[in-house]
PDB file of all heavy atoms in Angstrom:
ATOM      1  N   PRO D 200     -13.509  13.378   9.810  1.00  0.00           N
ATOM      2  CA  PRO D 200     -12.867  14.360   8.929  1.00  0.00           C
ATOM      3  C   PRO D 200     -11.731  15.101   9.626  1.00  0.00           C
ATOM      4  O   PRO D 200     -11.541  14.996  10.847  1.00  0.00           O
ATOM      5  CB  PRO D 200     -14.024  15.314   8.608  1.00  0.00           C
ATOM      6  CG  PRO D 200     -14.879  15.279   9.828  1.00  0.00           C
ATOM      7  CD  PRO D 200     -14.792  13.854  10.345  1.00  0.00           C
ATOM      8  N   VAL D 201     -10.993  15.876   8.851  1.00  0.00           N
ATOM      9  CA  VAL D 201      -9.904  16.696   9.379  1.00  0.00           C
ATOM     10  C   VAL D 201     -10.422  17.606  10.486  1.00  0.00           C
ATOM     11  O   VAL D 201     -11.484  18.228  10.363  1.00  0.00           O
ATOM     12  CB  VAL D 201      -9.290  17.562   8.260  1.00  0.00           C
ATOM     13  CG1 VAL D 201      -8.326  18.596   8.841  1.00  0.00           C
ATOM     14  CG2 VAL D 201      -8.572  16.694   7.234  1.00  0.00           C
ATOM     15  N   ASP D 202      -9.673  17.662  11.567  1.00  0.00           N
ATOM     16  CA  ASP D 202      -9.897  18.659  12.616  1.00  0.00           C
ATOM     17  C   ASP D 202      -8.704  19.605  12.568  1.00  0.00           C
ATOM     18  O   ASP D 202      -7.608  19.253  13.011  1.00  0.00           O
ATOM     19  CB  ASP D 202     -10.007  17.996  13.988  1.00  0.00           C
ATOM     20  CG  ASP D 202     -10.286  18.991  15.109  1.00  0.00           C
ATOM     21  OD1 ASP D 202     -10.256  20.210  14.837  1.00  0.00           O
ATOM     22  OD2 ASP D 202     -10.525  18.565  16.249  1.00  0.00           O
ATOM     23  N   PRO D 203      -8.866  20.803  12.019  1.00  0.00           N
ATOM     24  CA  PRO D 203      -7.729  21.729  11.914  1.00  0.00           C
ATOM     25  C   PRO D 203      -7.128  22.095  13.261  1.00  0.00           C
ATOM     26  O   PRO D 203      -5.958  22.470  13.332  1.00  0.00           O
ATOM     27  CB  PRO D 203      -8.338  22.961  11.236  1.00  0.00           C
ATOM     28  CG  PRO D 203      -9.558  22.465  10.544  1.00  0.00           C
ATOM     29  CD  PRO D 203     -10.088  21.372  11.425  1.00  0.00           C
ATOM     30  N   HIS D 204      -7.924  22.001  14.328  1.00  0.00           N
ATOM     31  CA  HIS D 204      -7.435  22.301  15.672  1.00  0.00           C
ATOM     32  C   HIS D 204      -6.780  21.039  16.238  1.00  0.00           C
ATOM     33  O   HIS D 204      -7.366  20.310  17.036  1.00  0.00           O
ATOM     34  CB  HIS D 204      -8.583  22.798  16.547  1.00  0.00           C
ATOM     35  CG  HIS D 204      -9.274  23.990  15.971  1.00  0.00           C
ATOM     36  ND1 HIS D 204     -10.573  23.968  15.539  1.00  0.00           N
ATOM     37  CD2 HIS D 204      -8.809  25.236  15.722  1.00  0.00           C
ATOM     38  CE1 HIS D 204     -10.910  25.160  15.069  1.00  0.00           C
ATOM     39  NE2 HIS D 204      -9.850  25.948  15.168  1.00  0.00           N
ATOM     40  N   SER D 205      -5.567  20.816  15.809  1.00  0.00           N
ATOM     41  CA  SER D 205      -4.895  19.535  16.044  1.00  0.00           C
ATOM     42  C   SER D 205      -4.660  19.239  17.511  1.00  0.00           C
ATOM     43  O   SER D 205      -4.467  18.079  17.891  1.00  0.00           O
ATOM     44  CB  SER D 205      -3.560  19.501  15.284  1.00  0.00           C
ATOM     45  OG  SER D 205      -2.769  20.640  15.602  1.00  0.00           O
ATOM     46  N   GLU D 206      -4.688  20.268  18.356  1.00  0.00           N
ATOM     47  CA  GLU D 206      -4.508  20.011  19.782  1.00  0.00           C
ATOM     48  C   GLU D 206      -5.611  19.111  20.326  1.00  0.00           C
ATOM     49  O   GLU D 206      -5.402  18.412  21.329  1.00  0.00           O
ATOM     50  CB  GLU D 206      -4.455  21.329  20.569  1.00  0.00           C
ATOM     51  CG  GLU D 206      -5.732  22.146  20.568  1.00  0.00           C
ATOM     52  CD  GLU D 206      -5.875  23.083  19.385  1.00  0.00           C
ATOM     53  OE1 GLU D 206      -5.137  22.906  18.391  1.00  0.00           O
ATOM     54  OE2 GLU D 206      -6.730  23.991  19.453  1.00  0.00           O
ATOM     55  N   ASN D 207      -6.762  19.088  19.682  1.00  0.00           N
ATOM     56  CA  ASN D 207      -7.872  18.256  20.155  1.00  0.00           C
ATOM     57  C   ASN D 207      -7.500  16.781  20.150  1.00  0.00           C
ATOM     58  O   ASN D 207      -7.736  16.062  21.118  1.00  0.00           O
ATOM     59  CB  ASN D 207      -9.117  18.494  19.302  1.00  0.00           C
ATOM     60  CG  ASN D 207      -9.688  19.878  19.479  1.00  0.00           C
ATOM     61  OD1 ASN D 207      -9.479  20.524  20.496  1.00  0.00           O
ATOM     62  ND2 ASN D 207     -10.411  20.359  18.480  1.00  0.00           N
ATOM     63  N   TRP D 208      -6.917  16.318  19.029  1.00  0.00           N
ATOM     64  CA  TRP D 208      -6.556  14.902  18.959  1.00  0.00           C
ATOM     65  C   TRP D 208      -5.131  14.640  19.443  1.00  0.00           C
ATOM     66  O   TRP D 208      -4.846  13.571  19.978  1.00  0.00           O
ATOM     67  CB  TRP D 208      -6.759  14.338  17.550  1.00  0.00           C
ATOM     68  CG  TRP D 208      -6.240  15.152  16.409  1.00  0.00           C
ATOM     69  CD1 TRP D 208      -6.943  16.024  15.631  1.00  0.00           C
ATOM     70  CD2 TRP D 208      -4.899  15.167  15.883  1.00  0.00           C
ATOM     71  NE1 TRP D 208      -6.131  16.576  14.658  1.00  0.00           N
ATOM     72  CE2 TRP D 208      -4.877  16.063  14.789  1.00  0.00           C
ATOM     73  CE3 TRP D 208      -3.723  14.495  16.226  1.00  0.00           C
ATOM     74  CZ2 TRP D 208      -3.733  16.320  14.038  1.00  0.00           C
ATOM     75  CZ3 TRP D 208      -2.568  14.744  15.489  1.00  0.00           C
ATOM     76  CH2 TRP D 208      -2.582  15.642  14.409  1.00  0.00           C
ATOM     77  N   ALA D 209      -4.233  15.609  19.297  1.00  0.00           N
ATOM     78  CA  ALA D 209      -2.858  15.407  19.783  1.00  0.00           C
ATOM     79  C   ALA D 209      -2.840  15.299  21.306  1.00  0.00           C
ATOM     80  O   ALA D 209      -2.055  14.526  21.874  1.00  0.00           O
ATOM     81  CB  ALA D 209      -1.964  16.547  19.318  1.00  0.00           C
ATOM     82  N   SER D 210      -3.697  16.039  21.977  1.00  0.00           N
ATOM     83  CA  SER D 210      -3.768  15.943  23.435  1.00  0.00           C
ATOM     84  C   SER D 210      -4.225  14.560  23.876  1.00  0.00           C
ATOM     85  O   SER D 210      -3.772  14.047  24.912  1.00  0.00           O
ATOM     86  CB  SER D 210      -4.721  17.005  23.983  1.00  0.00           C
ATOM     87  OG  SER D 210      -4.208  18.302  23.760  1.00  0.00           O
ATOM     88  N   LYS D 211      -5.105  13.946  23.084  1.00  0.00           N
ATOM     89  CA  LYS D 211      -5.543  12.584  23.396  1.00  0.00           C
ATOM     90  C   LYS D 211      -4.386  11.598  23.245  1.00  0.00           C
ATOM     91  O   LYS D 211      -4.291  10.614  23.997  1.00  0.00           O
ATOM     92  CB  LYS D 211      -6.709  12.182  22.501  1.00  0.00           C
ATOM     93  CG  LYS D 211      -7.955  13.053  22.650  1.00  0.00           C
ATOM     94  CD  LYS D 211      -8.536  12.955  24.062  1.00  0.00           C
ATOM     95  CE  LYS D 211      -9.846  13.712  24.161  1.00  0.00           C
ATOM     96  NZ  LYS D 211     -10.411  13.680  25.536  1.00  0.00           N
ATOM     97  N   ALA D 212      -3.503  11.853  22.284  1.00  0.00           N
ATOM     98  CA  ALA D 212      -2.311  11.004  22.144  1.00  0.00           C
ATOM     99  C   ALA D 212      -1.422  11.126  23.376  1.00  0.00           C
ATOM    100  O   ALA D 212      -0.885  10.128  23.871  1.00  0.00           O
ATOM    101  CB  ALA D 212      -1.537  11.381  20.885  1.00  0.00           C
ATOM    102  N   VAL D 213      -1.271  12.345  23.894  1.00  0.00           N
ATOM    103  CA  VAL D 213      -0.474  12.543  25.108  1.00  0.00           C
ATOM    104  C   VAL D 213      -1.135  11.839  26.289  1.00  0.00           C
ATOM    105  O   VAL D 213      -0.458  11.185  27.101  1.00  0.00           O
ATOM    106  CB  VAL D 213      -0.283  14.040  25.390  1.00  0.00           C
ATOM    107  CG1 VAL D 213       0.480  14.246  26.700  1.00  0.00           C
ATOM    108  CG2 VAL D 213       0.472  14.712  24.247  1.00  0.00           C
ATOM    109  N   ASP D 214      -2.460  11.949  26.399  1.00  0.00           N
ATOM    110  CA  ASP D 214      -3.175  11.239  27.477  1.00  0.00           C
ATOM    111  C   ASP D 214      -2.841   9.750  27.442  1.00  0.00           C
ATOM    112  O   ASP D 214      -2.569   9.127  28.483  1.00  0.00           O
ATOM    113  CB  ASP D 214      -4.684  11.411  27.330  1.00  0.00           C
ATOM    114  CG  ASP D 214      -5.163  12.827  27.599  1.00  0.00           C
ATOM    115  OD1 ASP D 214      -4.400  13.613  28.189  1.00  0.00           O
ATOM    116  OD2 ASP D 214      -6.305  13.135  27.196  1.00  0.00           O
ATOM    117  N   TRP D 215      -2.901   9.171  26.242  1.00  0.00           N
ATOM    118  CA  TRP D 215      -2.642   7.735  26.082  1.00  0.00           C
ATOM    119  C   TRP D 215      -1.193   7.409  26.453  1.00  0.00           C
ATOM    120  O   TRP D 215      -0.930   6.429  27.171  1.00  0.00           O
ATOM    121  CB  TRP D 215      -2.952   7.304  24.651  1.00  0.00           C
ATOM    122  CG  TRP D 215      -2.845   5.831  24.429  1.00  0.00           C
ATOM    123  CD1 TRP D 215      -3.820   4.894  24.603  1.00  0.00           C
ATOM    124  CD2 TRP D 215      -1.674   5.109  23.988  1.00  0.00           C
ATOM    125  NE1 TRP D 215      -3.345   3.638  24.302  1.00  0.00           N
ATOM    126  CE2 TRP D 215      -2.026   3.735  23.919  1.00  0.00           C
ATOM    127  CE3 TRP D 215      -0.377   5.479  23.639  1.00  0.00           C
ATOM    128  CZ2 TRP D 215      -1.134   2.750  23.521  1.00  0.00           C
ATOM    129  CZ3 TRP D 215       0.524   4.496  23.253  1.00  0.00           C
ATOM    130  CH2 TRP D 215       0.145   3.145  23.199  1.00  0.00           C
ATOM    131  N   LEU D 216      -0.265   8.206  25.966  1.00  0.00           N
ATOM    132  CA  LEU D 216       1.148   7.940  26.232  1.00  0.00           C
ATOM    133  C   LEU D 216       1.465   8.041  27.721  1.00  0.00           C
ATOM    134  O   LEU D 216       2.297   7.286  28.244  1.00  0.00           O
ATOM    135  CB  LEU D 216       2.024   8.916  25.438  1.00  0.00           C
ATOM    136  CG  LEU D 216       2.081   8.657  23.930  1.00  0.00           C
ATOM    137  CD1 LEU D 216       2.706   9.840  23.206  1.00  0.00           C
ATOM    138  CD2 LEU D 216       2.851   7.374  23.622  1.00  0.00           C
ATOM    139  N   GLU D 217       0.819   8.945  28.415  1.00  0.00           N
ATOM    140  CA  GLU D 217       1.083   9.089  29.833  1.00  0.00           C
ATOM    141  C   GLU D 217       0.677   7.852  30.630  1.00  0.00           C
ATOM    142  O   GLU D 217       1.149   7.666  31.762  1.00  0.00           O
ATOM    143  CB  GLU D 217       0.339  10.318  30.386  1.00  0.00           C
ATOM    144  CG  GLU D 217       0.958  11.641  29.957  1.00  0.00           C
ATOM    145  CD  GLU D 217       0.261  12.828  30.579  1.00  0.00           C
ATOM    146  OE1 GLU D 217      -0.948  12.724  30.906  1.00  0.00           O
ATOM    147  OE2 GLU D 217       0.925  13.878  30.753  1.00  0.00           O
ATOM    148  N   GLN D 218      -0.154   7.018  30.033  1.00  0.00           N
ATOM    149  CA  GLN D 218      -0.580   5.784  30.713  1.00  0.00           C
ATOM    150  C   GLN D 218       0.342   4.605  30.414  1.00  0.00           C
ATOM    151  O   GLN D 218       0.155   3.518  30.983  1.00  0.00           O
ATOM    152  CB  GLN D 218      -2.010   5.432  30.285  1.00  0.00           C
ATOM    153  CG  GLN D 218      -3.027   6.512  30.572  1.00  0.00           C
ATOM    154  CD  GLN D 218      -3.041   6.924  32.028  1.00  0.00           C
ATOM    155  OE1 GLN D 218      -3.111   6.073  32.926  1.00  0.00           O
ATOM    156  NE2 GLN D 218      -2.970   8.227  32.287  1.00  0.00           N
ATOM    157  N   GLN D 219       1.344   4.798  29.557  1.00  0.00           N
ATOM    158  CA  GLN D 219       2.234   3.704  29.184  1.00  0.00           C
ATOM    159  C   GLN D 219       3.477   3.710  30.070  1.00  0.00           C
ATOM    160  O   GLN D 219       4.196   4.719  30.124  1.00  0.00           O
ATOM    161  CB  GLN D 219       2.641   3.814  27.698  1.00  0.00           C
ATOM    162  CG  GLN D 219       1.475   4.020  26.741  1.00  0.00           C
ATOM    163  CD  GLN D 219       0.362   3.012  26.942  1.00  0.00           C
ATOM    164  OE1 GLN D 219       0.602   1.807  26.962  1.00  0.00           O
ATOM    165  NE2 GLN D 219      -0.867   3.498  27.080  1.00  0.00           N
ATOM    166  N   PRO D 220       3.750   2.625  30.761  1.00  0.00           N
ATOM    167  CA  PRO D 220       4.865   2.621  31.720  1.00  0.00           C
ATOM    168  C   PRO D 220       6.232   2.826  31.082  1.00  0.00           C
ATOM    169  O   PRO D 220       7.156   3.297  31.760  1.00  0.00           O
ATOM    170  CB  PRO D 220       4.764   1.233  32.376  1.00  0.00           C
ATOM    171  CG  PRO D 220       3.963   0.404  31.417  1.00  0.00           C
ATOM    172  CD  PRO D 220       3.031   1.338  30.738  1.00  0.00           C
ATOM    173  N   GLU D 221       6.364   2.500  29.792  1.00  0.00           N
ATOM    174  CA  GLU D 221       7.669   2.655  29.139  1.00  0.00           C
ATOM    175  C   GLU D 221       7.907   4.056  28.595  1.00  0.00           C
ATOM    176  O   GLU D 221       8.939   4.318  27.968  1.00  0.00           O
ATOM    177  CB  GLU D 221       7.843   1.633  28.016  1.00  0.00           C
ATOM    178  CG  GLU D 221       6.841   1.745  26.884  1.00  0.00           C
ATOM    179  CD  GLU D 221       5.654   0.827  27.032  1.00  0.00           C
ATOM    180  OE1 GLU D 221       4.891   1.008  27.999  1.00  0.00           O
ATOM    181  OE2 GLU D 221       5.481  -0.051  26.171  1.00  0.00           O
ATOM    182  N   VAL D 222       6.964   4.986  28.823  1.00  0.00           N
ATOM    183  CA  VAL D 222       7.066   6.353  28.317  1.00  0.00           C
ATOM    184  C   VAL D 222       7.386   7.309  29.457  1.00  0.00           C
ATOM    185  O   VAL D 222       6.795   7.235  30.537  1.00  0.00           O
ATOM    186  CB  VAL D 222       5.748   6.776  27.630  1.00  0.00           C
ATOM    187  CG1 VAL D 222       5.744   8.277  27.334  1.00  0.00           C
ATOM    188  CG2 VAL D 222       5.540   5.980  26.345  1.00  0.00           C
ATOM    189  N   ASP D 223       8.328   8.226  29.217  1.00  0.00           N
ATOM    190  CA  ASP D 223       8.612   9.311  30.155  1.00  0.00           C
ATOM    191  C   ASP D 223       7.685  10.476  29.805  1.00  0.00           C
ATOM    192  O   ASP D 223       7.874  11.131  28.774  1.00  0.00           O
ATOM    193  CB  ASP D 223      10.070   9.739  30.028  1.00  0.00           C
ATOM    194  CG  ASP D 223      10.449  10.846  31.015  1.00  0.00           C
ATOM    195  OD1 ASP D 223       9.532  11.449  31.616  1.00  0.00           O
ATOM    196  OD2 ASP D 223      11.649  11.121  31.159  1.00  0.00           O
ATOM    197  N   PRO D 224       6.685  10.770  30.615  1.00  0.00           N
ATOM    198  CA  PRO D 224       5.703  11.803  30.254  1.00  0.00           C
ATOM    199  C   PRO D 224       6.269  13.210  30.178  1.00  0.00           C
ATOM    200  O   PRO D 224       5.633  14.103  29.609  1.00  0.00           O
ATOM    201  CB  PRO D 224       4.650  11.682  31.366  1.00  0.00           C
ATOM    202  CG  PRO D 224       5.359  11.069  32.513  1.00  0.00           C
ATOM    203  CD  PRO D 224       6.379  10.142  31.910  1.00  0.00           C
ATOM    204  N   ALA D 225       7.461  13.415  30.731  1.00  0.00           N
ATOM    205  CA  ALA D 225       8.092  14.731  30.670  1.00  0.00           C
ATOM    206  C   ALA D 225       8.872  14.931  29.376  1.00  0.00           C
ATOM    207  O   ALA D 225       9.372  16.041  29.127  1.00  0.00           O
ATOM    208  CB  ALA D 225       9.011  14.936  31.868  1.00  0.00           C
ATOM    209  N   ARG D 226       8.983  13.868  28.574  1.00  0.00           N
ATOM    210  CA  ARG D 226       9.789  13.959  27.345  1.00  0.00           C
ATOM    211  C   ARG D 226       8.979  13.446  26.145  1.00  0.00           C
ATOM    212  O   ARG D 226       9.324  12.451  25.523  1.00  0.00           O
ATOM    213  CB  ARG D 226      11.082  13.173  27.501  1.00  0.00           C
ATOM    214  CG  ARG D 226      12.034  13.750  28.549  1.00  0.00           C
ATOM    215  CD  ARG D 226      13.385  13.054  28.517  1.00  0.00           C
ATOM    216  NE  ARG D 226      13.290  11.665  29.001  1.00  0.00           N
ATOM    217  CZ  ARG D 226      14.228  10.744  28.788  1.00  0.00           C
ATOM    218  NH1 ARG D 226      15.308  11.036  28.076  1.00  0.00           N
ATOM    219  NH2 ARG D 226      14.082   9.521  29.281  1.00  0.00           N
ATOM    220  N   ILE D 227       7.898  14.138  25.840  1.00  0.00           N
ATOM    221  CA  ILE D 227       7.059  13.806  24.693  1.00  0.00           C
ATOM    222  C   ILE D 227       7.181  14.921  23.661  1.00  0.00           C
ATOM    223  O   ILE D 227       6.981  16.093  23.968  1.00  0.00           O
ATOM    224  CB  ILE D 227       5.578  13.624  25.099  1.00  0.00           C
ATOM    225  CG1 ILE D 227       5.450  12.494  26.126  1.00  0.00           C
ATOM    226  CG2 ILE D 227       4.714  13.342  23.878  1.00  0.00           C
ATOM    227  CD1 ILE D 227       4.032  12.313  26.660  1.00  0.00           C
ATOM    228  N   GLY D 228       7.532  14.546  22.441  1.00  0.00           N
ATOM    229  CA  GLY D 228       7.645  15.504  21.349  1.00  0.00           C
ATOM    230  C   GLY D 228       6.607  15.239  20.280  1.00  0.00           C
ATOM    231  O   GLY D 228       5.872  14.250  20.335  1.00  0.00           O
ATOM    232  N   MET D 229       6.556  16.131  19.294  1.00  0.00           N
ATOM    233  CA  MET D 229       5.620  15.939  18.192  1.00  0.00           C
ATOM    234  C   MET D 229       6.219  16.440  16.901  1.00  0.00           C
ATOM    235  O   MET D 229       6.884  17.487  16.869  1.00  0.00           O
ATOM    236  CB  MET D 229       4.291  16.648  18.447  1.00  0.00           C
ATOM    237  CG  MET D 229       3.297  16.427  17.305  1.00  0.00           C
ATOM    238  SD  MET D 229       1.596  16.701  17.763  1.00  0.00           S
ATOM    239  CE  MET D 229       0.785  16.195  16.221  1.00  0.00           C
ATOM    240  N   THR D 230       5.949  15.681  15.828  1.00  0.00           N
ATOM    241  CA  THR D 230       6.325  16.121  14.490  1.00  0.00           C
ATOM    242  C   THR D 230       5.249  15.708  13.512  1.00  0.00           C
ATOM    243  O   THR D 230       4.385  14.891  13.816  1.00  0.00           O
ATOM    244  CB  THR D 230       7.694  15.539  14.081  1.00  0.00           C
ATOM    245  OG1 THR D 230       8.147  16.180  12.884  1.00  0.00           O
ATOM    246  CG2 THR D 230       7.624  14.038  13.826  1.00  0.00           C
ATOM    247  N   GLY D 231       5.298  16.306  12.326  1.00  0.00           N
ATOM    248  CA  GLY D 231       4.353  15.968  11.270  1.00  0.00           C
ATOM    249  C   GLY D 231       4.982  16.208   9.924  1.00  0.00           C
ATOM    250  O   GLY D 231       5.914  17.016   9.773  1.00  0.00           O
ATOM    251  N   ILE D 232       4.481  15.509   8.930  1.00  0.00           N
ATOM    252  CA  ILE D 232       5.017  15.578   7.579  1.00  0.00           C
ATOM    253  C   ILE D 232       3.998  16.241   6.658  1.00  0.00           C
ATOM    254  O   ILE D 232       2.797  16.019   6.785  1.00  0.00           O
ATOM    255  CB  ILE D 232       5.388  14.161   7.092  1.00  0.00           C
ATOM    256  CG1 ILE D 232       6.259  14.203   5.834  1.00  0.00           C
ATOM    257  CG2 ILE D 232       4.161  13.282   6.892  1.00  0.00           C
ATOM    258  CD1 ILE D 232       6.935  12.873   5.516  1.00  0.00           C
ATOM    259  N   SER D 233       4.468  17.103   5.764  1.00  0.00           N
ATOM    260  CA  SER D 233       3.612  17.775   4.784  1.00  0.00           C
ATOM    261  C   SER D 233       2.560  18.631   5.490  1.00  0.00           C
ATOM    262  O   SER D 233       2.928  19.559   6.208  1.00  0.00           O
ATOM    263  CB  SER D 233       2.990  16.742   3.840  1.00  0.00           C
ATOM    264  OG  SER D 233       2.386  17.374   2.724  1.00  0.00           O
ATOM    265  N   LEU D 234       1.263  18.342   5.364  1.00  0.00           N
ATOM    266  CA  LEU D 234       0.260  19.123   6.086  1.00  0.00           C
ATOM    267  C   LEU D 234       0.422  18.949   7.599  1.00  0.00           C
ATOM    268  O   LEU D 234      -0.083  19.766   8.377  1.00  0.00           O
ATOM    269  CB  LEU D 234      -1.153  18.751   5.644  1.00  0.00           C
ATOM    270  CG  LEU D 234      -2.303  19.599   6.199  1.00  0.00           C
ATOM    271  CD1 LEU D 234      -2.070  21.084   5.968  1.00  0.00           C
ATOM    272  CD2 LEU D 234      -3.633  19.157   5.623  1.00  0.00           C
TER     273      LEU D 234
END
Side-chain angles (χ1 to χ4, degrees):
V201 170
D202 182 353
H204 304 114
S205 53
E206 65 274 16
N207 293 336
W208 46 263
S210 294
K211 299 297 186 182
V213 177
D214 291 344
W215 186 88
L216 288 167
E217 287 183 333
Q218 302 305 310
Q219 311 309 308
E221 62 265 64
V222 169
D223 182 347
R226 294 188 291 164
I227 300 176
M229 181 159 185
T230 191
I232 194 166
S233 192
L234 187 52

